[in-house]
Amino acid sequence: MTTETTATASKARLLPQLIKFGAVGAVGFGVNLVVFNVMLLIVLRNVQHATIYSTVIATVIAILTNWIGNRYWAFSGQRQQNAAKEGVEFFVVSLATGTGIPVLCIWVSHYLLGLANPMADNISANVVGLALGMLFRFALYRWWVFSPTRAARAAGGKRAPTASAAAIGPASTSADMQRSTASREPATVTGSTLARTPDGGLVGD
């Protein structure tokens, strides 16, 4: 497959992957919302710091849900062989883009730009931060966590020798031995024939 063909195929998969990624993200958002409220209002309602615990539990379960959806649906053709390594990378990317980018956006608007009001904070964190986080998350999922290049390289490194390649070695060895034997046979035959031929001496003796 040429480089142009690979690039064309990659671009053709971009839009379907983006749609699936958005659908998985929507499911993850719903899971986060449901788990958070169940933990806060039912399971941990009498526990101190229930809000913190509910947030952590809901976030972890939502990230796990997103990982399963992206691994087995959105990026199913590019998933890594090492699921544990992929899961760790996915978790790191999810936390960095889901938390780090909104915090960075609100820091820029609140402290650098001086937009210190609830409306500006909500726009920075929940609109700009959320949108940028999703874009960076998709890019890192596609070109790092579920990178086609990494998947192809891993598959190529574990690929066993083909049957034809395995057959060439013994066949070549056998042919070489036959040629070597054939090249030695005339000398052997000639030597044995000369040894069996009686010496008649000079003509006329």
Side-chain angles (χ1 to χ4, degrees):
M1 183 178 290
T2 63
T3 305
E4 292 78 5
T5 304
T6 305
T8 303
S10 179
K11 290 179 180 179
R13 292 195 302 265
L14 181 60
L15 183 58
Q17 283 180 339
L18 187 58
I19 294 173
K20 292 178 181 179
F21 166 78
V24 171
V27 172
F29 176 79
V31 169
N32 193 328
L33 186 63
V34 170
V35 172
F36 174 79
N37 284 281
V38 168
M39 299 302 296
L40 181 66
L41 302 177
I42 300 175
V43 179
L44 303 175
R45 63 180 179 178
N46 296 322
V47 177
Q48 190 176 10
H49 307 303
T51 303
I52 302 297
Y53 296 144
S54 299
T55 301
V56 172
I57 293 171
T59 300
V60 171
I61 294 178
I63 290 176
L64 180 61
T65 302
N66 287 340
W67 176 54
I68 293 173
N70 281 290
R71 175 177 172 81
Y72 294 102
W73 187 43
F75 301 97
S76 60
Q78 303 168 203
R79 60 178 180 262
Q80 298 184 33
Q81 295 295 326
N82 190 337
K85 178 183 176 184
E86 179 189 276
V88 170
E89 293 175 351
F90 188 92
F91 191 84
V92 170
V93 169
S94 298
L95 284 181
T97 57
T99 303
I101 291 180
V103 168
L104 179 61
C105 289
I106 200 171
W107 179 80
V108 170
S109 68
H110 195 98
Y111 296 101
L112 290 185
L113 301 180
L115 303 174
N117 58 79
M119 179 66 71
D121 290 343
N122 272 281
I123 293 175
S124 299
N126 299 320
V127 178
V128 179
L130 184 63
L132 287 178
M134 289 183 62
L135 288 177
F136 275 92
R137 189 156 54 248
F138 177 77
L140 288 170
Y141 287 166
R142 178 177 171 82
W143 285 288
W144 185 50
V145 178
F146 301 104
S147 170
T149 304
R150 294 177 68 187
R153 186 165 58 246
K158 297 181 180 180
R159 188 176 299 161
T162 59
S164 59
I168 289 174
S172 300
T173 303
S174 177
D176 292 340
M177 292 177 63
Q178 292 177 2
R179 285 196 296 270
S180 177
T181 304
S183 64
R184 290 196 302 267
E185 282 180 354
T188 305
V189 172
T190 303
S192 60
T193 303
L194 291 175
R196 291 196 302 269
T197 303
D199 186 5
L202 299 175
V203 177
D205 283 354

